[in-house]
Amino acid sequence: MTNVKLPLRWLRVGSRKSALTTMIVSNLFILLIPLSMGLFLYAKVEQSLEKSANRSNTAMLEQLKLSLDTKLAEVDNLMRQVVLNPKLDYLLKIPADADSVDKYRLVEFMKDNMNRYRSMVSSFIFDYYVYFASSDTIVNADFLTDSRTFYDNTYQFQNMTYDKWMKELLSAPHKMAYMPVTALESNPSSAAGTEYIPDDVVIYAQSLPLRSQTDILGNFIVLIDVSHIKQQFAQLEAASQSSIYIVDHTGRTIMSTSDTPLPGDLMQRIEQNTGPFDYQIGGVNQLVSFTSSQKAGWKYVSVTPSDVFMKQVHQIQNWSIGLLLLCLIAGLPAVFAMAYRNYKPLQKTVNAIMRGKDMIGRPASNEYEFIRETIEGSIHEEKNLRSLLAQQTPVIRANYLSRLVRGYMDVNVSADSEETLKFMELTFVSDRFAVLLVQIEDISRFSDQESEQQWALVRFIVSNIGVELAQRHHQGFAVELDRDRLAFLINLDKERVHRADADVRDIADSLNSVITHRFRIDITVAAGALHQGAGAIRDSYPEALAALEYRIIKGKNAVIHFQDIADAKQHYYYPLDIESQLINFVRSGDSDSVGKLLDTIYAMNFDSTHMTPDLGKCLFFNVTSTLLKVINSTNTNQDEVLGADFDPIKEIFSHPTVEGMHRKTKELFETLTRSFKVERSDHSSQLFHDIVSMVERDLHDPNLGLALIADRFGMSPQYISTFFKKHQGQNLLDYMTRKRIDKAKRLMESRELTNAHIAQQVGYTNDVVFIRAFKKLEGITPGKYRDTITPDKTGSDS
């Protein structure tokens, strides 16, 4: 290999690149493939280890979160049991100088409630108590005492005096707040000093009463034993060699396994990211993983040094670099030797070709290109010419047929034009033609997606089916006019002139049937009359267009022939006496007669005679005008009857067929007629009585409302609201609220029923909504109202 020396002229011939250069580059590329794969493998291993570390840390954090969420659920459950106790509101208002009866109620609260709640919690909750600010009393599951005695004889927080304890914990407002880890210490002089006291606790505080955060009457305090959490921290720290942090929604660290606080900019990065990311602390790369808990609003953060999981990657990196250098040193001489060996036969072939060609100098391209160009030369040029010609033929043919259909030129079936027709792959068998137009109405049953690809497929299907049907006895050609419209030229055979009209009808009917039923594509087929001569297509196409306009009368999936509509009349049936009769029926509230009369008008105009589409639209415009006349002449509020911003003209004429217009017109007239019937009939008082009876009967139903009542009586909510206010002089919703509160006041005479029970019996979903509605109408809460109706109840009970 050391003897291989390549002259420069072998690498370059004139200004071209030699094939030898290509061979060398190719062999080098092959050599570099395994090296590149090694580098790629290294990168993938690095990513895999990092993802594995991410998944491991995230899984451990999720396990920690789930474990703590389960424990914190005990705190939430205990808090709800205590703060939602119906006796708590009264106990919070007991003053310091209360009589013995009130003080005994505090003792009952301790025995009956606080002591009973202990069975609901595990050792995760070290202690819990309620601080009553008005009486300066602390009540837990075992005893009742004042705040000073509790502080001196039970346990204390390190570095927190009695005044600071009172100010920051017992008297300050808290809303389901968790505070950072705080150290506890017992009073050695007290009897409680011999009991178990955890070293550290997390404090949970909730101000009382729960419904008010401004008028603080006390606090509910829970002390969480941190030793349980530290055990899980120790397991996570040992498994991943990570620092674990628990921070709340304000960025405050609740507890951690590290003495180093969490940097503030790191918390900002955590808020901005949704997954693990890299971070530097003290110049050391760290992998930060985190997860969030909705239970307490905490974030669980793991900070792991990258060196922990990248040690193996660094070893792979060193091996990869060494392997790369070894392959380059050993492979480069082999690459040049093999390239030169393979180049020699190619060089001899080029010299042989050049001896048989009249050329000056060497070829401008490399040897491979020179050989390919020499062999393909003229064959390639001929192939390109034939290909271009074949590509243009369909375009020329489609353009020619399109101009024929649109009448830009006359058809020429003489012998002189035969060669031109053959060039476009066209043959006409006679000078008799008929034009069919196909309007594609709807493809939703064929395909859920109305993309251009689907539309192209639909046009392809219709074109092929139409041409196939036409060519059974005649010649047929399809022309695409628009995205949803095609034309078919039917060139009629001379031998079937007597059957030509019947054949065209059969083609139209069969095409409509196959496309509609087999392919589930809604179409309308319109056929022009049969014509003969040079202008046959020019004469039949406008007739097919005129027939297609009649789809507004016939509807979708119709087959319309111009001969069938040629005698269409130029007037419609809607005399003045019929309009006057329709107005009288509406104003009298006779909905049955209105519907029958509208059906008669429709049948007289569309069922028995032919009518032009323009006249059909004019008829419905006049009928709609009658509707507006009734509304304007009676000063009817259109928004109440038909709805706000309702446009009857736009609503009716949005339908593509007269059948849809007729159906919508009947709906509007029926709605207007029903409004006159309800407002002017002798049964209005009965309707009002029925509404009141329904309200009285279904007060306990929380779903009772304007929509339910309107649905029960088959009327619109707007009309029910207006009708009730007109007869009662009061809004229907306000009336129901008053009835519910009156019923609740009667139920309050029984002390056995709680506010929650009463709220359920009068139709409120919870007692909070009931209390708010009661106070809004009566000016006081249900509890105070009970005190007013039974002022001596407390004393007698004591």
Side-chain angles (χ1 to χ4, degrees):
M1 293 185 183
T2 57
N3 296 326
V4 178
K5 296 182 180 180
L6 302 177
L8 182 62
R9 62 184 178 84
W10 290 357
L11 299 178
R12 297 181 59 84
V13 181
S15 60
R16 66 184 173 85
K17 289 185 178 180
S18 173
L20 180 58
T21 305
T22 304
M23 291 180 180
I24 293 174
V25 172
S26 300
N27 290 337
L28 284 174
F29 179 75
I30 295 174
L31 175 64
L32 292 176
I33 287 177
L35 301 180
S36 302
M37 292 177 63
L39 295 176
F40 176 78
L41 178 61
Y42 163 75
K44 287 298 182 182
V45 169
E46 182 178 1
Q47 293 177 5
S48 176
L49 288 177
E50 185 173 354
K51 290 181 179 178
S52 177
N54 287 337
R55 288 194 296 268
S56 177
N57 290 343
T58 303
M60 289 188 293
L61 290 177
E62 286 289 340
Q63 182 180 3
L64 176 62
K65 181 191 75 173
L66 293 175
S67 176
L68 289 186
D69 282 353
T70 302
K71 297 296 185 180
L72 293 178
E74 295 183 10
V75 179
D76 291 340
N77 187 31
L78 177 61
M79 183 272 291
R80 286 193 295 269
Q81 293 293 331
V82 174
V83 303
L84 297 179
N85 191 297
K87 298 179 181 180
L88 191 61
D89 287 347
Y90 182 82
L91 298 177
L92 287 169
K93 298 174 183 179
I94 295 177
D97 57 350
D99 55 19
S100 59
V101 173
D102 286 338
K103 291 181 178 180
Y104 182 71
R105 288 178 175 171
L106 290 172
V107 175
E108 285 183 333
F109 179 72
M110 176 191 71
K111 294 180 178 179
D112 297 342
N113 298 104
M114 297 296 284
N115 187 271
R116 178 166 53 87
Y117 296 150
R118 173 170 289 175
S119 61
M120 299 171 53
V121 300
S122 64
S123 59
F124 178 72
I125 297 178
F126 163 64
D127 194 12
Y128 59 92
Y129 55 85
V130 178
Y131 172 67
F132 298 91
S134 298
S135 59
D136 188 31
T137 303
I138 291 180
V139 177
N140 71 357
D142 298 319
F143 56 83
L144 178 151
T145 184
D146 60 275
S147 60
R148 170 58 74 175
T149 304
F150 184 87
Y151 181 83
D152 292 339
N153 297 334
T154 310
Y155 45 76
Q156 304 171 4
F157 296 100
Q158 289 184 6
N159 302 323
M160 185 179 291
T161 63
Y162 169 77
D163 294 334
K164 186 177 181 181
W165 177 61
M166 284 290 295
K167 179 180 179 181
E168 296 182 0
L169 186 60
L170 298 187
S171 300
H174 305 286
K175 185 177 181 180
M176 301 176 67
Y178 289 89
M179 301 179 187
V181 173
T182 306
L184 275 185
E185 61 181 10
S186 61
N187 192 336
S189 61
S190 66
T194 60
E195 299 178 354
Y196 167 72
I197 301 293
D199 295 332
D200 300 305
V201 294
V202 171
I203 305 172
Y204 171 86
Q206 170 63 51
S207 297
L208 303 173
L210 185 62
R211 64 176 180 274
S212 174
Q213 293 300 315
T214 56
D215 186 14
I216 306 302
L217 301 180
N219 271 294
F220 173 63
I221 308 297
V222 178
L223 302 182
I224 300 173
D225 190 350
V226 175
S227 62
H228 295 272
I229 305 177
K230 286 185 175 180
Q231 292 176 3
Q232 299 186 28
F233 271 22
Q235 297 174 1
L236 296 180
E237 188 176 19
S240 63
Q241 301 181 26
S242 306
S243 298
I244 311 298
Y245 296 83
I246 297 180
V247 296
D248 62 11
H249 65 281
T250 64
R252 182 176 55 177
T253 301
I254 301 299
M255 64 180 301
S256 69
T257 62
S258 174
D259 297 333
T260 304
L262 202 64
D265 59 335
L266 178 56
M267 279 304 302
Q268 295 180 359
R269 289 281 304 276
I270 291 175
E271 295 293 338
Q272 296 172 359
N273 286 273
T274 58
F277 58 89
D278 295 328
Y279 185 77
Q280 279 195 348
I281 298 180
V284 178
N285 290 330
Q286 308 282 343
L287 176 64
V288 179
S289 304
F290 61 92
T291 185
S292 301
S293 171
Q294 301 298 328
K295 179 66 68 175
W298 289 353
K299 289 187 181 296
Y300 299 83
V301 183
S302 169
V303 180
T304 307
S306 298
D307 292 339
V308 172
F309 60 89
M310 291 296 291
K311 184 177 180 180
Q312 297 177 353
V313 177
H314 293 156
Q315 294 178 354
I316 296 175
Q317 181 182 23
N318 295 332
W319 277 100
S320 299
I321 294 174
L323 180 62
L324 174 63
L325 295 176
L326 179 62
C327 290
L328 290 177
I329 293 173
L332 287 177
V335 165
F336 282 91
M338 292 298 296
Y340 176 72
R341 180 180 178 182
N342 293 328
Y343 175 70
K344 291 298 291 181
L346 180 64
Q347 187 180 36
K348 293 179 180 180
T349 303
V350 171
N351 292 333
I353 293 175
M354 291 186 64
R355 285 194 295 267
K357 293 178 66 75
D358 186 13
M359 294 183 61
I360 301 176
R362 304 286 291 183
S365 58
N366 64 38
E367 288 82 349
Y368 287 117
E369 286 294 320
F370 174 68
I371 294 173
R372 183 184 62 80
E373 292 174 359
T374 302
I375 295 175
E376 293 182 354
S378 60
I379 300 176
H380 181 70
E381 293 179 1
E382 182 181 358
K383 184 178 180 180
N384 285 340
L385 290 175
R386 291 182 179 276
S387 176
L388 289 175
L389 185 62
Q391 291 175 3
Q392 293 299 321
T393 299
V395 177
I396 297 173
R397 181 174 182 270
N399 179 267
Y400 175 76
L401 292 175
S402 178
R403 286 184 292 136
L404 280 180
V405 169
R406 299 180 189 275
Y408 297 153
M409 60 183 296
D410 290 337
V411 64
N412 186 356
V413 298
S414 63
D416 297 336
S417 64
E418 184 176 355
E419 191 64 29
T420 303
L421 295 178
K422 286 184 178 180
F423 162 70
M424 293 182 292
E425 299 179 1
L426 288 176
T427 55
F428 292 138
V429 296
S430 73
D431 61 347
R432 297 175 182 271
F433 292 88
V435 176
L436 294 184
L437 288 180
V438 176
Q439 181 70 33
I440 304 173
E441 304 285 1
D442 187 9
I443 68 171
S444 60
R445 295 190 302 128
F446 173 78
S447 174
D448 296 335
Q449 298 180 351
E450 295 192 13
S451 61
E452 286 300 324
Q453 180 179 3
Q454 294 300 321
W455 275 100
L457 178 60
V458 169
R459 293 194 298 272
F460 175 79
I461 293 172
V462 175
S463 299
N464 280 271
I465 298 298
V467 171
E468 182 180 349
L469 291 172
Q471 289 183 344
R472 290 178 179 176
H473 305 293
H474 308 278
Q475 284 283 76
F477 308 96
V479 182
E480 293 187 7
L481 301 179
D482 206 340
R483 181 180 187 234
D484 57 352
R485 182 174 294 183
L486 296 93
F488 290 93
L489 299 183
I490 311 298
N491 184 210
L492 303 169
D493 195 326
K494 297 178 180 179
E495 302 297 329
R496 293 182 64 87
V497 173
H498 61 288
R499 288 279 305 167
D501 185 70
D503 287 345
V504 171
R505 290 182 179 271
D506 289 342
I507 293 171
D509 293 337
S510 299
L511 177 62
N512 181 68
S513 177
V514 171
I515 297 300
T516 302
H517 297 99
R518 182 179 301 178
F519 294 97
R520 301 194 301 172
I521 301 172
D522 295 326
I523 64 171
T524 299
V525 182
L530 279 61
H531 292 274
Q532 183 177 8
I537 299 176
R538 185 187 61 220
D539 295 337
S540 183
Y541 176 66
E543 295 174 350
L545 280 177
L548 188 61
E549 289 294 324
Y550 273 78
R551 64 192 173 117
I552 190 175
I553 307 295
K554 302 294 185 179
K556 295 189 300 183
N557 301 327
V559 178
I560 310 169
H561 294 271
F562 179 77
Q563 298 93 319
D564 299 339
I565 63 171
D567 59 343
K569 65 178 183 178
Q570 298 299 318
H571 67 277
Y572 57 81
Y573 174 79
Y574 190 54
L576 292 176
D577 57 337
I578 293 297
E579 181 183 24
S580 177
Q581 187 178 3
L582 179 61
I583 293 174
N584 292 333
F585 284 152
V586 172
R587 299 184 66 173
S588 63
D590 190 352
S591 57
D592 292 338
S593 297
V594 169
K596 292 178 181 178
L597 186 56
L598 288 173
D599 289 338
T600 301
I601 296 172
Y602 180 83
M604 290 290 292
N605 286 281
F606 297 106
D607 289 351
S608 58
T609 59
H610 295 298
M611 179 183 292
T612 64
D614 292 336
L615 278 178
K617 293 178 181 179
C618 185
L619 170 63
F620 280 101
F621 186 83
N622 281 347
V623 175
T624 308
S625 175
T626 303
L627 177 77
L628 298 177
K629 288 179 184 178
V630 176
I631 294 176
N632 295 332
S633 63
T634 57
N635 295 323
T636 301
N637 190 329
Q638 180 175 329
D639 292 344
E640 291 184 359
V641 177
L642 302 179
D645 300 327
F646 183 82
D647 187 349
I649 300 293
K650 183 183 297 184
E651 190 70 19
I652 291 175
F653 284 92
S654 64
H655 293 271
T657 62
V658 293
E659 183 180 357
M661 296 180 187
H662 174 60
R663 184 170 57 253
K664 189 61 185 180
T665 302
K666 287 185 65 177
E667 291 179 4
L668 296 178
F669 269 94
E670 182 180 356
T671 301
L672 180 61
T673 305
R674 189 169 57 245
S675 67
F676 282 103
K677 179 179 180 180
V678 174
E679 291 182 357
R680 300 183 181 185
S681 68
D682 294 334
H683 300 290
S684 59
S685 59
Q686 181 63 37
L687 175 62
F688 173 75
H689 175 74
D690 292 342
I691 294 174
V692 172
S693 299
M694 180 179 176
V695 170
E696 293 284 349
R697 182 180 66 253
D698 298 333
L699 275 179
H700 64 281
D701 187 1
N703 296 320
L704 182 65
L706 185 58
L708 181 62
I709 295 175
D711 183 69
R712 183 72 58 83
F713 291 98
M715 299 176 181
S716 66
Q718 296 89 347
Y719 179 79
I720 288 292
S721 177
T722 304
F723 173 82
F724 188 90
K725 189 171 183 180
K726 181 186 295 185
H727 287 75
Q728 177 66 17
Q730 184 182 14
N731 185 281
L732 179 57
L733 296 179
D734 293 339
Y735 176 82
M736 288 191 295
T737 302
R738 167 49 64 189
K739 287 296 183 181
R740 282 172 167 159
I741 297 303
D742 290 342
K743 182 177 180 181
K745 290 164 65 176
R746 294 192 299 272
L747 294 174
M748 286 181 189
E749 295 176 3
S750 173
R751 299 291 290 183
E752 296 177 357
L753 296 176
T754 64
N755 287 341
H757 293 154
I758 294 175
Q760 184 178 6
Q761 293 188 29
V762 296
Y764 288 99
T765 56
N766 57 68
D767 55 347
V768 176
V769 179
F770 164 66
I771 293 172
R772 187 183 299 115
F774 191 97
K775 187 174 181 181
K776 181 179 180 181
L777 287 184
E778 299 296 330
I780 59 176
T781 63
K784 291 184 178 180
Y785 176 81
R786 281 186 163 180
D787 292 340
T788 62
I789 62 176
T790 57
D792 59 340
K793 191 72 175 175
T794 301
S796 62
D797 289 342
S798 303

